[in-house]
Amino acid sequence: MGAGVLFFSTRGRIARKPYWLGHLLLLFIVFAGVAATLPWLIDYEGAPATPRWYWPYVYTLSAATVWPTYALTVKRLQDRGKGPALARLYVGAGVAHVLAGALRLFPEGGVGDRALDIAYACVLLLVAVAAGFKAGDPGQNRFGPPPSRKVFAP
C-alpha cells in the first residue's frame, strides 16, 4: 500500500504497524512544523514572544492532518470488522478540542477546560484500544481481505 492510499483513502484494511507508523509520521510532521517556528518565538531579550501568525499556522498545520488521521483510523477499524463511527467520534472530538481552544470557549485551567480535556483523553484511550491495540480479523471480512504485512509498499 502506497503512502497516498494509506493517508487519503478510507477503503480497505490496514494492520496495527502501519496504523501506528502513520500516526507517528503525522505527529512528526506537526512537531517539525512547530519546531521550525522556534526562532521566531524568542524576542531579542530572550523572552518568549508569540507572533500574530503563530496560532493560525499551528491550527492550519493541525487541520492538514485531520483527513489522514481519519483515513488511517477508518482502515484500521475496518480491519477489525467495524464501521467508521468511532473514527468520526475520534476526529470530531479532536476538532472540537482544538476549536474550543482556538475560540477560547472556556477559561484556561477552568472546569470546562479540564472537562473537555478529560473527555478528549477518554476518546483517545477508547480509539487507542479499539484501533491500535486489538488484533484485526484473521480472514476476509466485509471490508476486504486481510492487510498486507508490508508497511509502505507500492
Side-chain angles (χ1 to χ4, degrees):
M1 175 178 300
V5 173
L6 182 68
F7 290 112
F8 297 106
S9 172
T10 59
R11 291 185 170 198
R13 299 165 57 178
I14 58 172
R16 287 176 283 191
K17 186 175 182 178
Y19 172 77
W20 285 115
L21 289 175
H23 274 290
L24 285 174
L25 180 61
L26 293 173
L27 193 61
F28 173 78
I29 289 168
V30 171
F31 280 152
V34 171
T37 66
L38 290 179
W40 288 280
L41 298 181
I42 305 295
D43 69 9
Y44 291 109
E45 288 79 40
T50 306
R52 294 181 67 167
W53 55 264
Y54 179 74
W55 286 112
Y57 168 77
V58 170
Y59 293 133
T60 302
L61 196 58
S62 297
T65 66
V66 170
W67 183 261
T69 297
Y70 178 74
L72 284 169
T73 306
V74 166
K75 286 193 293 277
R76 181 65 200 125
L77 290 169
Q78 288 174 170
D79 186 43
R80 297 198 49 241
K82 310 287 184 206
L86 188 57
R88 290 181 184 138
L89 174 66
Y90 174 42
V91 169
V95 169
H97 191 256
V98 169
L99 282 176
L103 299 174
R104 302 190 196 302
L105 296 180
F106 302 106
E108 192 171 334
V111 174
D113 187 42
R114 293 296 156 232
L116 187 64
D117 289 345
I118 291 168
Y120 184 54
C122 290
V123 170
L124 289 177
L125 182 62
L126 177 66
V127 171
V129 171
F133 296 125
K134 290 191 173 188
D137 294 344
Q140 176 106 4
N141 69 17
R142 65 186 173 132
F143 298 105
S148 167
R149 294 295 170 215
K150 295 180 181 177
V151 178
F152 292 112

